[in-house]
Amino acid sequence: MITEVLDYEKYPYPNDPGVYIMKDNKQSVIYIGKAKNLNKRIKSYFTPMQTNPLERASWKTNLLVSRIQSIDYIITDNEIEAFLLESNLIKQYRPIFNIELKDQQRYTYLKITDEKFPRLNVARRNRNGEFTGTKGEIIGPFVKGSSRYLSIGLLRKMFKVRICNTLPKRECLEYHIGNCDAPCINKISEDKYKENINSLKNILKDNDSLSSFYNKLENEMKIASENHDYEKAINIRDTLYRLKNILQYQKMESNYLQGSLEEYIGIIEDEYEEAAHVMTLMSKNGVINDMKKYQFDLLGDNSIENFICQYYLTSSIIPSFIYINKEIQEKEKLEKILLDLTKTNIKIIAFGNEKGTNKHHSEYLSQNKWDIMQLILNNLKTYISKRHEPALDELMQILNLGKLPYIIDCFDISNFGNDFAVGASCRFVNGTPDKSGYRKFRIINVDHQDDFMMIEEIVKRRYELKTNSDKGFTELKKARLPDLIVIDGGKGHLNVALRTLKRIGLEQIECISLAKENEEVYTKFSPKPVMISKNQKSLRILQHIRDESHRFGLAYNRKLRKERLKD
């Protein structure tokens, strides 16, 4: 692994395929990506902002870039290797900006501890992906529902594995009910105990089948019975009963997997949250089951291609056909990876925007498959719609806004003489306050009472671009811009704000003003105000953010005056 600083002009990255690893100032891994050309891909995070700041990447990508301190990279022979290495490194480091499957409870690791009389535990990971707790041998992952996923409690009982953290001085209840051989009081030798542990390992690692183990125990039960050791025979009989249930489940699962499996993946991108919502659904012979939902941020290289790669690299069951609702760019590479993993040709089939529009796979896209995909997409749309405040749709229609005002900033001036002039900016996300977006300003460029000039100053200071000389790129003081700006005031205040936004290159942001006396809303489209009914929630949202910015600014003003009185 090679580490580079961010001076890419002096120290260019190689023009080879590979994986890059971004770290913050604490040298913690915050993002891992792959590239066909490392040099071009890494530069792309920084250079677009220099040519045209308005055509920058998403605000989440900007937030990532602002935290990068150094970048490591690993060169691979080809893009396929980069795909696989990226996924493995993501599982190892679990960076905060990468796609992390939210349904990870499906994947379980077990640990056999390094002790004189080992224990069997579920292995836990910390945030860095490292296994915690007592040292031991890690076995897995196991996928819940697969034949190799055995209840840890059942495994302990079958192989008489102790559950105590430290060996007690006398036997406990587990010994008396037949779940443990009591190594604490030497009822079993260390060698015999470890024979049981080795048998357990063989089954977990699949080096020994459950069937052969069942036959071995059955033979031991017969010998114990012939020797009149009936207590031992009864204990073995109980273990055989548990194993028989597992073998029956294994047979059912084997029959299930022999059929043709199909998995449907629907994805919808939420432009307001800059996140992708994914729903997966497994189908066998037309019978639908196992629907799951995921979400990941749209930043850097995070994409549906990366999701699919990571999803199937951690799954024990891979279907014969994968249906997706939109075309993907790296289908052939993904199919090659799945072939390497399963030794089976897996087809990835993309639906068109409408039924039957994908002529390349028309033989696979029946009406039934189209209906299943529509079911997934309708569920996703319903889920996303519930995440947005309905009054914002109402506000968008009333004010003729170009997009949903998911993020709203409001500005207010609070002055008490020339010495105590301050400004405040409050942010609402999805109709509710977001304190991380609050800002307060002490007026520094205006030495007399002039609300218009003060509005110009605080709007400019809130959004203007600045140059980061250490990293050599232009960034926003606040990574994410609002969808709507509200100015506390009338038409004149609005005009000042509009001119200021145009001067700093942000005229594309919608801006309105709210006059308090009659709650009149002024827009740039008409000299006449818009009147919103007082019983509509859309107006109450505007009033709330206006009152909140007034409260926030007034509190700052009072604080400054109290500090002056103390002096």
Side-chain angles (χ1 to χ4, degrees):
M1 184 184 297
I2 302 175
T3 302
E4 292 280 6
V5 293
L6 294 182
D7 190 352
Y8 50 79
E9 292 182 351
K10 186 176 180 181
Y11 304 102
Y13 294 92
N15 295 310
D16 299 298
V19 172
Y20 55 92
I21 304 167
M22 295 175 169
K23 298 181 178 180
D24 61 13
N25 56 3
K26 295 180 181 178
Q27 289 303 292
S28 298
V29 176
I30 58 174
Y31 187 75
I32 296 172
K34 67 180 184 312
K36 182 178 181 180
N37 184 310
L38 285 168
N39 189 39
K40 289 182 179 179
R41 184 66 189 102
I42 294 173
K43 281 185 178 181
S44 70
Y45 281 93
F46 308 100
T47 52
M49 297 184 193
Q50 293 176 328
T51 56
N52 187 350
L54 295 180
E55 294 181 359
R56 63 190 180 283
S58 74
W59 70 273
K60 291 181 179 179
T61 301
N62 288 339
L63 183 61
L64 163 66
V65 170
S66 69
R67 295 179 59 177
I68 298 170
Q69 188 67 29
S70 63
I71 300 178
D72 301 346
Y73 62 85
I74 302 172
I75 297 174
T76 59
D77 290 335
N78 52 59
E79 291 179 78
I80 301 294
E81 286 186 8
F83 241 125
L84 294 167
L85 179 59
E86 177 197 33
S87 183
N88 289 330
L89 290 174
I90 289 172
K91 285 191 290 182
Q92 178 182 348
Y93 290 103
R94 299 174 68 189
I96 59 174
F97 285 99
N98 275 102
I99 296 174
E100 182 176 359
L101 301 184
K102 303 300 182 183
D103 203 43
Q104 295 255 335
Q105 68 269 19
R106 296 189 302 164
Y107 311 109
T108 304
Y109 290 85
L110 299 180
K111 179 194 293 183
I112 295 177
T113 60
D114 290 337
E115 296 173 293
K116 183 178 181 180
F117 294 98
R119 291 172 292 146
L120 175 66
N121 295 329
V122 174
R124 309 288 184 186
R125 288 180 183 270
N126 60 22
R127 187 65 183 81
N128 296 323
E130 301 165 341
F131 289 104
T132 59
T134 307
K135 292 183 179 180
E137 181 179 355
I138 305 297
I139 304 175
F142 300 107
V143 180
K144 188 173 183 179
S146 73
S147 59
R148 289 195 300 161
Y149 183 91
L150 309 177
S151 161
I152 188 169
L154 179 57
L155 288 169
R156 286 167 175 163
K157 292 174 183 177
M158 283 170 52
F159 295 96
K160 305 297 182 68
V161 181
R162 69 184 181 93
I163 64 172
C164 47
N165 291 329
T166 56
L167 288 172
K169 294 182 179 180
R170 57 179 298 176
E171 73 276 15
C172 66
L173 180 62
E174 290 293 304
Y175 168 71
H176 293 290
I177 62 177
N179 291 338
C180 178
D181 285 332
C184 53
I185 56 172
N186 299 317
K187 288 288 185 179
I188 185 173
S189 68
E190 183 179 350
D191 290 340
K192 181 61 178 175
Y193 186 92
K194 288 188 175 177
E195 279 184 25
N196 293 342
I197 294 296
N198 288 332
S199 297
L200 170 61
K201 286 182 182 179
N202 286 334
I203 285 182
L204 291 177
K205 293 179 178 180
D206 213 24
N207 295 328
D208 192 8
S209 69
L210 284 173
S211 297
S212 61
F213 183 69
Y214 182 93
N215 294 333
K216 178 183 174 183
L217 284 182
E218 194 172 38
N219 187 50
E220 289 183 8
M221 182 183 68
K222 291 178 181 178
I223 294 173
S225 179
E226 290 170 358
N227 294 333
H228 305 289
D229 190 351
Y230 298 117
E231 184 178 356
K232 180 179 181 181
I234 289 172
N235 288 334
I236 295 176
R237 182 201 64 187
D238 292 341
T239 300
L240 287 171
Y241 176 76
R242 294 163 182 157
L243 266 175
K244 189 175 181 179
N245 288 335
I246 293 172
L247 287 167
Q248 288 176 345
Y249 178 80
Q250 186 182 46
K251 183 178 180 180
M252 289 170 59
E253 185 188 64
S254 177
N255 291 335
Y256 175 80
L257 292 178
Q258 285 176 2
S260 176
L261 283 175
E262 301 173 339
E263 186 147 25
Y264 295 78
I265 300 177
I267 177 172
I268 295 179
E269 296 180 358
D270 187 339
E271 62 176 306
Y272 307 113
E273 293 185 355
E274 295 195 1
H277 299 274
V278 182
M279 188 170 286
T280 66
L281 184 149
M282 189 72 76
S283 172
K284 178 183 179 292
N285 297 331
V287 179
I288 300 172
N289 58 54
D290 204 24
M291 180 180 284
K292 293 180 172 62
K293 188 178 69 62
Y294 303 88
Q295 178 180 332
F296 60 87
D297 292 331
L298 293 170
L299 62 87
D301 291 328
N302 289 358
S303 63
I304 188 60
E305 292 86 358
N306 286 54
F307 171 85
I308 291 174
C309 181
Q310 194 171 336
Y311 179 72
Y312 287 110
L313 282 174
T314 53
S315 176
S316 67
I317 300 175
I318 296 182
S320 304
F321 297 92
I322 299 169
Y323 294 92
I324 187 168
N325 65 308
K326 62 194 315 183
E327 292 286 352
I328 57 177
Q329 297 177 356
E330 299 176 303
K331 183 173 76 73
E332 291 77 14
K333 295 173 191 173
L334 288 176
E335 289 178 339
K336 176 66 169 61
I337 289 172
L338 295 177
L339 176 60
D340 292 342
L341 285 172
T342 65
K343 310 304 178 188
T344 305
N345 285 309
I346 310 296
K347 277 195 171 295
I348 300 177
I349 302 167
F351 285 82
N353 294 326
E354 297 180 3
K355 182 177 66 175
T357 57
N358 193 326
K359 297 179 181 179
H360 299 290
H361 298 296
S362 57
E363 70 273 23
Y364 300 107
L365 301 179
S366 65
Q367 175 67 45
N368 181 55
K369 291 177 173 51
W370 177 258
D371 291 342
I372 293 174
M373 182 57 71
Q374 285 302 113
L375 172 68
I376 293 174
L377 296 179
N378 289 338
N379 274 275
L380 275 176
K381 289 174 183 177
T382 301
Y383 171 77
I384 294 172
S385 66
K386 289 181 179 179
R387 295 170 64 91
H388 296 157
E389 168 58 56
L392 297 179
D393 288 296
E394 180 182 272
L395 189 63
M396 180 174 67
Q397 294 174 10
I398 292 173
L399 300 180
N400 194 28
L401 303 176
K403 61 188 297 189
L404 188 81
Y406 187 75
I407 297 180
I408 305 175
D409 283 352
C410 183
F411 291 86
D412 184 39
I413 298 296
S414 177
N415 54 57
F416 187 81
N418 296 332
D419 295 331
F420 300 103
V422 301
S425 170
C426 289
R427 171 163 289 192
F428 275 29
V429 176
N430 199 24
T432 59
D434 175 21
K435 296 296 179 70
S436 66
Y438 282 32
R439 297 291 185 273
K440 53 190 177 185
F441 309 89
R442 187 161 186 175
I443 302 300
I444 56 178
N445 297 325
V446 183
D447 58 3
H448 58 283
Q449 291 190 9
D450 189 327
D451 281 6
F452 290 173
M453 293 183 67
M454 292 177 185
I455 285 290
E456 178 181 359
E457 178 180 332
I458 64 175
V459 170
K460 184 178 179 182
R461 286 169 61 185
R462 180 67 176 86
Y463 301 123
E464 73 175 343
L465 300 171
K466 68 175 182 178
T467 299
N468 186 324
S469 56
D470 295 332
K471 295 184 180 179
F473 65 91
T474 303
E475 64 177 353
L476 284 171
K477 290 183 177 181
K478 176 66 182 175
R480 189 167 189 182
L481 292 172
D483 303 306
L484 175 66
I485 294 173
V486 178
I487 305 296
D488 183 11
K491 187 68 174 180
H493 296 82
L494 172 63
N495 290 335
V496 170
L498 290 171
R499 287 197 301 268
T500 305
L501 290 172
K502 186 174 182 179
R503 277 200 294 269
I504 62 177
L506 297 177
E507 66 270 20
Q508 81 279 10
I509 300 178
E510 303 275 8
C511 185
I512 64 171
S513 66
L514 179 62
K516 189 171 185 178
E517 184 174 354
N518 297 312
E519 305 294 16
E520 298 170 327
V521 180
Y522 289 92
T523 70
K524 62 182 177 182
F525 303 110
S526 172
K528 295 182 180 180
V530 177
M531 301 300 295
I532 303 177
S533 175
K534 292 184 179 181
N535 62 1
Q536 290 184 273
K537 191 174 180 181
S538 54
L539 177 62
R540 292 199 293 271
I541 288 177
L542 294 180
Q543 291 171 326
H544 187 184
I545 192 170
R546 187 267 317 280
D547 295 343
E548 179 68 358
S549 61
H550 180 73
R551 179 202 63 79
F552 188 56
L554 186 59
Y556 183 44
N557 193 307
R558 286 172 177 166
K559 179 183 176 181
L560 293 179
R561 280 185 278 159
K562 285 181 180 180
E563 290 175 352
R564 174 67 64 87
L565 289 174
K566 289 179 181 179
D567 297 338

